[in-house]
Amino acid sequence: MHTSNNKPVFFDRGLLDSIGYAELIESEISEYMILYAEHWSFNPVVFILPPWQEIYKTDEERKQDWNEVMLTHTTILKTYQSYGYQIVEVPKVDVKSRVDFVLKFIRENNS
């Protein structure tokens, strides 16, 4: 989350996700990527929506099987933690409850 004019701004993915994916597939992680990740940070709190097997389906966009999903999640989680981010796991509940959880967390922790 980032704030702009005192309003929260959320990013669905970022450079650290790319670094995590690169590590997962054993692709090169350039020095530039590392420097950028070290010097251009987001808010120190990152909301993570964990994999939810009961609702996960593969399709044209989501091709990973469940084991790959879990490995990707674990790798990206470790990547964010290695750069000093605080991970807040959003509960596996309906969309409105997820939104309420995130907004409540922000209100309670940014006062």
Side-chain angles (χ1 to χ4, degrees):
M1 183 195 70
H2 176 72
T3 58
S4 174
N5 299 324
N6 295 324
K7 295 180 183 179
V9 176
F10 295 89
F11 299 92
D12 182 41
R13 295 281 180 208
L15 177 65
L16 292 180
D17 293 86
S18 297
I19 290 173
Y21 285 125
E23 182 178 321
L24 185 68
I25 64 171
E26 298 178 354
S27 183
E28 178 184 356
I29 300 171
S30 71
E31 184 177 326
Y32 176 75
M33 291 171 71
I34 294 168
L35 288 172
Y36 189 89
E38 291 174 343
H39 298 287
W40 296 90
S41 61
F42 296 103
N43 186 294
V45 175
V46 174
F47 294 100
I48 297 287
L49 285 79
W52 191 349
Q53 190 168 18
E54 291 77 15
I55 65 170
Y56 182 77
K57 293 182 174 136
T58 57
D59 58 26
E60 288 299 314
E61 299 297 321
R62 295 181 181 198
K63 299 177 191 237
Q64 292 182 319
D65 66 27
W66 185 249
N67 289 334
E68 290 173 304
V69 168
M70 292 305 298
L71 184 57
T72 301
H73 174 70
T74 300
T75 302
I76 289 175
L77 198 65
K78 287 179 183 177
T79 301
Y80 275 94
Q81 291 169 328
S82 74
Y83 282 89
Y85 287 89
Q86 175 192 348
I87 304 299
V88 175
E89 187 173 289
V90 178
K92 296 176 184 177
V93 291
D94 63 272
V95 174
K96 182 183 180 325
S97 297
R98 286 180 173 208
V99 170
D100 291 344
F101 173 86
V102 169
L103 294 177
K104 180 181 178 190
F105 184 93
I106 292 168
R107 278 193 305 275
E108 291 177 354
N109 293 281
N110 288 318
S111 308

